Each structure stands twice: as structure tokens, then as C-alpha cells.
């Protein structure tokens, strides 16, 4: 099985090294091939997503992605910015279903800024649509109006087939869990959202076992803090999912803990931590590699049919946390704070 490895920028290469370290000791006959993306690719060849990196990702069975971006690239024209690498990969590979689980590990309930009794035991899945919405809608741009005033504009849009396929993914995910699905939209204001809601309700007829609810995104943002355990699977559009998944990550103590999978309709996937490139701590050896290591576990489960190996990694991460090891982002009194590479070693040691 061929894995495309795209470490990217900032802490990307450091955390990727640890995930590969863990994957390599599993002895699974995985072949890794690396390529440049993001600012690193721009610096080398002037493009954030060079053709050879895209071709490698296309040809692979799965893609491991680190993170992209950095302040030195923020003034580049949009087409050259590092973020185009991840947006381009999602679109080109048709990775429309983004699974973002937010799990509160027992040992980390105190690491959250939210009261431990509110978050303890949380196991939430945010399913974010990833290739549509205002992220990709055309037209977009800036223009000067007849009266001389400038304006910026984007287009929020969802086609029926886009909503249908992510709704199906949501219902199927709910079938495997507690059979509750909450669809999040802004149907009280947006046409796109009302259409989303109508289509989700149509698709729901095929899943009579599932209890479907709808929530406006502003309320959902509030309910996630007030009582996150009321949710099991949330399905939502690209923009709302981007925001809600960052919010949900903080329930778990740190964004440095959250893995993600972006899947096409054949379970090919791209796996990445949901945090960014963290340029402020890049190169210091302090970044938490657990989100990337847990992303590798998701890859084994969703794209490579290696459930047992995925379970082993996840159990090892739990063991390391129970053993009192922490990275700086989840530092707790009385626990041992270790660096990126030591955390990778600790997970390897805990694999058993
Ligand atoms: C994410 C990130 C990306 C997004 C950026 C880097 C383009 O925030 O994966 O959540 O907005 O989707
Ligand atoms: Mg985001």
C-alpha cells in the first residue's frame, strides 16, 4: 500500500516524522513517498501544489498531510498561498466528507478550559462537507462598482448532489454510533441553508432508524460550550464545519490532539491533524504529534482496512496519556512535559 507523505510547513515536518515512526514499527508493508506542499513547495518551485505532488497524492492509496502556511506567505496572491495546497487536494481528489472526531480522553478532562464535568466522556463526530460552499463557490473576487466603491464578494452555494452525498455519509455514520444526527445550518437567514435542510430531510426518509434534528449554527456554537454531550454526530457545510470543529477541539483540551480524515466516495482519504502549521513553535521540538499519530490511525481504519493496527495506535496513545506524559499544549500540574520526538517514542514504546 502506497502512502503519499506531504509534511508541508511549520511544525508539519516534525509531527509527520513522529507519525511515520509509529507507522513504520507496525510492520504493515506500507510504502511511503514524500513530496513538497504549501510554502515549502512555493519556496522550492513557485507553486503551493506542484503537479508532481498532486500526481503522487492521486496515485497513492492514502495521503498523510502535515500542515501548511506561515506569515511570510500571507501577502502572496491567493493562488500562490500555501492554503491552496490543501484546498486543491481536497477538490482535485474529491475528498468531500471530512470526519473530525472530538474525543475527551479521561486523563485530559481537566486540561480543557471548560469545566471537567461538562466535557468528561465527550465523544463527538463532526462531519464537515469539504469541497463545496462559499469555499469554492463562483463568482468570487473584488470589484469596483459604478459609483466607484470597491467591494469583496464570495458565493455560497450547494448543489443537490453535494448535499445528498454528505447527508448520506452523516446518516451512515450515525447508524454506526448512537443513531442521532444533528444537521447544522443557518436556514433562518440563508437560501443555501434552507435548501440544505430540505435535502437532508428528503434523505432522512431512507434512514427511519435515525433521529434527525436541525440546529442553527449560532445556537450550535453556543450549545457546544453549554452541553456538548447532547451531540453525537453533527453534519454541516464547509464553512460552519471549519468553525465548529475548531471550537469542538478546545473541549478536548487542545487542538493538538485532534485528527481528521477527508474521504472520497471510495474511502480513499487524506489524513491530517486539524491544527495548523504553528509557525511560532516550529523547529523547537515542542509540538504535540498526537493529532498526526491519531490521523495515521484513522488512515489505517478508513482507507487501508487495518482496524487492528488502528486500535493498537489509539490504545498506545491512551496508555501514554494515562502514564502521565504530556506535550506543552496539554501541560498539567504533576504530569511530565515532553517534546515532539519523545512523545513519538513514548507511543512506539506503548504499542505493546
Ligand atoms: C482546516 C483549515 C483549512 C480550512 C485552511 C488551512 C484552508 O482551517 O482544515 O480547518 O479552512 O479548511
Ligand atoms: Mg480550520
Amino acid at each position: 500500500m502506497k502512502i503519499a507523505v506531504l509534511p508541508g510547513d511549520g511544525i508539519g515536518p516534525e509531527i509527520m516524522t513522529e507519525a511515520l515512526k509509529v507507522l513504520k514499527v507496525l510492520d504493515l508493508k506500507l510504502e511511503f513517498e514524500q513530496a513538497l506542499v504549501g510554502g515549502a513547495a512555493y519556496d522550492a518551485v513557485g507553486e503551493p501544489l506542484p503537479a508532481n505532488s498532486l500526481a503522487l497524492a492521486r496515485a497513492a492509496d492514502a495521503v498523510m498531510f502535515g500542515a501548511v502556511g506561515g506569515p511570510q506567505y500571507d501577502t502572496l496572491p491567493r493562488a500562490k498561498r500555501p492554503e491552496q495546497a490543501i484546498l486543491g487536494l481536497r477538490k482535485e481528489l474529491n475528498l468531500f466528507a471530512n470526519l473530525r472526531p472530538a474525543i475527551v480522553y479521561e486523563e485530559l478532562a481537566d486540561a480543557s478550559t471548560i469545566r471537567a464535568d461538562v466535557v468528561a466522556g465527550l465523544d463527538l463526530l463532526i462531519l464537515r462537507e469539504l469541497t463545496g460552499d462559499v469555499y469554492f463557490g463562483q463568482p468570487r473576487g473584488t470589484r469596483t462598482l459604478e459609483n466607484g466603491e470597491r467591494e469583496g464578494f464570495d458565493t455560497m452555494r450547494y448543489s443537490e448532489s453535494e448535499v445528498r452525498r454528505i447527508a448520506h455519509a452523516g446518516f451512515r455514520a450515525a447508524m454506526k454510533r448512537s443513531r442521532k444526527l444533528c444537521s447544522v445550518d443557518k436556514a433562518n437567514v440563508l437560501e443555501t441553508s434552507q435548501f440544505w435542510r430540505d435535502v437532508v430531510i428528503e434523505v432522512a426518509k431512507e434512514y427511519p432508524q435515525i433521529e434527525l434534528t436541525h440546529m442553527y449554527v449560532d445556537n450550535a456554537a453556543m450549545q457546544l460550550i453549554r452541553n456538548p454531550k447532547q451531540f453525537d454526530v453533527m453534519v454541516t457545510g464547509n464553512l460552519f464545519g471549519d468553525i465548529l470543529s475548531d471550537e469542538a477541539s478546545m473541549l478536548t483540551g487542545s487542538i493538538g490532539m485532534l485528527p481528521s480524515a477527508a474521504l472520497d466516495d471510495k474511502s480513499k482519504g487524506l489524513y491530517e491533524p486539524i491544527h495548523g502549521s504553528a509557525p511560532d513553535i516550529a523547529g523547537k521540538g515542542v509540538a504535540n504529534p498526537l493529532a498526526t499519530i491519531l490521523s495515521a490511525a484513522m488512515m489505517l481504519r478508513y482507507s487501508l482496512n487495518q482496524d487492528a493496527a488502528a486500535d493498537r495506535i489509539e490504545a498506545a496513545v491512551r496508555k501514554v496519556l494515562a502514564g502521565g506524559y504530556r506535550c506543552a499544549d496539554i501541560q498539567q500540574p504533576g504530569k511530565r512535559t515532553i517534546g515532539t520526538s519523545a512523545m513519538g517514542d513514548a507511543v512506539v514504546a506503548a504499542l505493546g
Side-chain angles (χ1 to χ4, degrees):
M1 287 168 296
K2 240 191 155 148
I3 317 297
V5 178
L6 310 175
D9 307 324
I11 60 171
E14 300 163 55
I15 53 178
M16 188 62 77
T17 300
E18 301 314 309
L20 295 182
K21 195 190 264 179
V22 173
L23 283 170
K24 280 173 185 168
V25 301
L26 292 173
D27 203 23
L28 289 172
K29 300 201 174 70
L30 304 177
E31 254 179 60
F32 301 97
E33 197 173 332
Q34 207 152 321
L36 294 172
V37 287
Y42 174 78
D43 290 338
V45 298
E47 293 292 335
L49 182 58
N52 69 311
S53 303
L54 178 58
L56 179 72
R58 261 192 221 288
D61 296 296
V63 182
M64 287 287 299
F65 189 92
V68 289
Q72 69 271 44
Y73 308 111
D74 284 351
T75 51
L76 289 173
R78 183 165 305 283
K80 300 284 183 191
R81 289 198 207 161
E83 290 76 14
Q84 295 306 312
I86 185 63
L87 295 172
L89 282 162
R90 289 171 183 170
K91 194 71 178 173
E92 291 294 325
L93 302 181
N94 203 18
L95 304 171
F96 67 89
N98 187 203
L99 277 55
R100 298 194 162 192
I103 295 173
V104 174
Y105 292 92
E106 210 181 298
E107 301 79 13
L108 292 185
D110 293 329
S112 176
T113 52
I114 307 294
R115 248 181 24 228
D117 63 298
V118 175
V119 297
L122 179 73
D123 180 352
L124 165 72
L125 177 64
I126 296 183
L127 185 62
R128 169 189 175 193
E129 200 289 330
L130 206 52
T131 53
D133 202 358
V134 67
Y135 266 60
F136 293 97
Q138 292 293 342
R140 55 183 284 161
T142 52
R143 62 190 164 201
T144 305
L145 302 174
E146 269 167 30
N147 66 5
E149 166 126 273
R150 292 182 305 147
E151 70 172 11
F153 59 98
D154 293 273
T155 303
M156 178 177 272
R157 68 193 315 152
Y158 264 120
S159 68
E160 181 175 353
S161 58
E162 285 176 320
V163 181
R164 275 188 185 277
R165 66 183 181 177
I166 194 70
H168 277 290
F171 285 108
R172 284 197 302 265
M175 289 288 277
K176 290 194 197 149
R177 295 172 53 110
S178 70
R179 304 198 163 192
K180 277 170 54 183
L181 179 65
C182 180
S183 171
V184 175
D185 62 38
K186 188 70 185 171
N188 52 344
V189 177
L190 300 173
E191 296 304 325
T192 315
S193 275
Q194 184 61 55
F195 178 70
W196 168 286
R197 187 179 288 213
D198 294 345
V199 173
V200 171
I201 290 171
E202 284 167 29
V203 174
K205 296 192 184 114
E206 297 175 45
Y207 301 89
Q209 314 89 327
I210 303 288
E211 180 199 323
L212 172 67
T213 54
H214 305 273
M215 199 179 274
Y216 298 138
V217 63
D218 51 346
N219 186 25
M222 186 267 279
Q223 295 294 340
L224 268 177
I225 300 296
R226 192 183 75 86
N227 176 20
K229 286 183 262 182
Q230 70 185 283
F231 299 110
D232 188 51
V233 183
M234 293 173 115
V235 64
T236 190
N238 204 344
L239 180 63
F240 299 155
D242 179 44
I243 298 165
L244 292 179
S245 60
D246 262 35
E247 187 189 9
S249 77
M250 267 302 137
L251 301 170
T252 74
S254 171
I255 196 166
M257 293 294 300
L258 263 71
S260 77
L263 305 176
D264 72 3
D265 50 3
K266 297 181 201 72
S267 297
K268 168 151 175 178
L270 177 149
Y271 299 82
E272 59 170 331
I274 87 154
H275 61 69
S277 57
D280 52 322
I281 58 165
K284 297 191 176 149
V286 298
N288 186 351
L290 290 178
T292 315
I293 291 171
L294 290 167
S295 299
M298 289 188 89
M299 172 179 78
L300 294 170
R301 177 168 296 118
Y302 290 104
S303 287
L304 305 180
N305 259 314
Q306 300 284 340
D307 285 60
D311 291 343
R312 265 181 84 196
I313 294 180
E314 287 164 357
V317 168
R318 283 176 196 276
K319 206 164 145 190
V320 166
L321 293 173
Y325 295 100
R326 304 282 186 271
C327 279
D329 61 323
I330 44 172
Q331 238 168 28
Q332 288 174 293
K335 306 294 180 195
R336 224 177 119 198
T337 306
I338 59 176
T340 310
S341 159
M343 185 55 96
D345 292 342
V347 173
V348 167
L351 279 173

